[in-house]
Amino acid sequence: MALDREAFMAASRGARRYHVIDLPGLGAARLQSLTQAEMRALRRSLRDADGNANKERLDRLDGLLVAATVVDDSGARVFSDDDAMGNGLDWMDGGPWAVLCDAVRRHVGWMAEIGWKPIEDAAKN
């Protein structure tokens, strides 16, 4: 039987999903899902007031996703946006970083849609 609107809305209110992954050489990382509001805010932060790509934030998109998603056992973020935008995450070994970024994108459902202007603009430059 298909889920009706009322059941769908009730099931989706405030619930987060969590997933623990193993990072080679580093240990476990706990990932939380992001709400649609959090995803929209992150997407909005990748554009300036005129709708143009914010190249600095686009360059650090993986770090911003990691910062928003990796949490401790109580659900508190492990990394800040400042960690992502500064050099706080640059020290991480590229292998585990790739595993982490891939797992984060899959867990939150983040995919840049073809035709999304900031991605197209960044690709041109």
Side-chain angles (χ1 to χ4, degrees), residues 2-37:
L3 192 64
D4 66 23
R5 183 185 189 286
E6 187 174 319
F8 179 83
M9 296 303 278
S12 66
R13 269 187 224 112
R16 290 219 192 249
R17 292 174 296 105
Y18 294 93
H19 179 67
V20 177
I21 63 165
D22 184 51
L23 298 174
L26 295 176
R30 184 175 189 230
L31 311 179
Q32 74 174 357
S33 59
L34 299 178
T35 66
Q36 288 301 307

Side-chain angles (χ1 to χ4, degrees), residues 12-81:
S12 66
R13 269 187 224 112
R16 290 219 192 249
R17 292 174 296 105
Y18 294 93
H19 179 67
V20 177
I21 63 165
D22 184 51
L23 298 174
L26 295 176
R30 184 175 189 230
L31 311 179
Q32 74 174 357
S33 59
L34 299 178
T35 66
Q36 288 301 307
E38 291 166 331
M39 298 276 278
R40 278 193 308 276
L42 184 53
R43 283 190 179 104
R44 241 186 336 268
S45 79
L46 301 176
R47 298 183 302 261
D48 64 19
D50 296 325
N52 297 313
N54 179 324
K55 292 179 185 178
E56 182 181 12
R57 288 188 67 83
L58 277 170
D59 184 51
R60 300 291 180 150
L61 179 55
D62 282 340
L64 290 166
L65 281 166
V66 165
T69 307
V70 176
V71 296
D72 64 17
D73 288 335
S74 66
R77 286 175 58 169
V78 173
F79 304 110
S80 69
D81 282 0

